[in-house]
Amino acid sequence: MTLRLVIVNKAYSSWSLRPWLLMTHYGIAFEETVIPMRQPDTRARILEHSPTGKCPALIDGDIIVWESLAIVEYLAESFADLPIWPRAKDARAHARALANEMHGGFQALRNHCPTQFLRPVQKLALTPEVEADVARIEAAWEGARARFGAGGPFLFGEFSAADAMFAPVVNRFHTYDIPVRPQTRAYMDAIMALPAWKAWIEG
């Protein structure tokens, strides 16, 4: 049975981007259901697929998985032949810690710089709280790259779930023209060069 991923508008949904990017990058076959946001029946339509009334949701037969990180873990378990998480134990632990930090943190950046793929690139004044989030993210990326990134341009060398979890931040840094260090920009460029990223933009 084909997997089905229920998402909302690609222009605005950071949470939907994460599993969509991961599945597309790894060539995991899935059907896509897109529910328009900000419509009178949006929540009711999402509740048909997700008990929280939020997207994304992954449907695999009678199994429903909601929340981006839970979907990532389900995919990693279901497709154990794919390097969704780094293979090495220490790298995998580090990647999971970063993914969870992203899942639960950086609220100032989220609120001040919402995901917006249609917005022209334009600088936005940042608050001290947002600047602190940016500094922590840059340090996290550089730390992962320095320790585990020798095999490629991504956080753990090859693309992994950690990169998918931080992909919306790449959009935020780029769209709001946030000043970043050269190594941060190089990582962002690598994410934005992915065929899966380009396919999301086209969608």
Side-chain angles (χ1 to χ4, degrees):
M1 183 176 293
T2 303
L3 297 171
R4 184 152 59 98
L5 186 66
V6 183
I7 63 175
V8 291
N9 305 59
K10 290 177 180 173
Y12 310 111
S13 180
S14 60
W15 295 106
S16 294
L17 168 63
R18 294 176 168 112
W20 192 99
L21 189 72
L22 191 77
M23 296 173 79
T24 302
H25 175 80
Y26 283 114
I28 299 172
F30 68 97
E31 296 176 352
E32 174 186 308
T33 297
V34 181
I35 298 175
M37 295 173 65
R38 304 186 182 98
Q39 301 299 313
D41 64 342
T42 294
R43 181 170 171 80
R45 291 182 62 186
I46 295 175
L47 282 169
E48 295 174 7
H49 310 285
S50 170
T52 63
K54 298 177 181 180
C55 283
L58 181 71
I59 300 171
D60 183 9
D62 294 333
I63 299 172
I64 301 175
V65 187
W66 61 98
E67 289 289 349
S68 295
L69 194 52
I71 294 172
V72 168
E73 293 288 8
Y74 183 80
L75 293 170
E77 183 180 89
S78 300
F79 299 92
D81 57 317
L82 298 175
I84 290 174
W85 291 111
R87 295 299 195 194
K89 183 178 181 179
D90 56 347
R92 188 166 63 253
H94 196 111
R96 281 194 162 112
L98 285 182
N100 276 274
E101 183 180 1
M102 178 67 254
H103 187 270
F106 308 116
Q107 200 62 48
L109 177 65
R110 296 178 197 269
N111 292 340
H112 195 69
C113 304
T115 297
Q116 171 55 279
F117 280 92
L118 296 176
R119 182 184 188 272
V121 174
Q122 186 174 354
K123 192 175 293 294
L124 180 70
L126 305 181
T127 67
E129 292 78 13
V130 175
E131 290 177 341
D133 278 356
V134 171
R136 168 56 197 153
I137 290 167
E138 287 201 89
W141 289 357
E142 289 174 22
R145 291 278 305 134
R147 186 174 176 189
F148 302 107
F154 301 104
L155 295 179
F156 294 84
E158 298 298 321
F159 182 87
S160 74
D163 300 294
M165 288 300 296
F166 276 102
V169 173
V170 172
N171 168 256
R172 289 179 166 100
F173 282 9
H174 177 73
T175 298
Y176 296 97
D177 195 19
I178 293 175
V180 295
R181 293 191 281 272
Q183 53 267 50
T184 301
R185 186 71 239 186
Y187 171 68
M188 291 166 58
D189 289 344
I191 293 290
M192 295 171 69
L194 287 168
W197 177 278
K198 294 178 180 179
W200 176 272
I201 299 295
E202 290 172 3

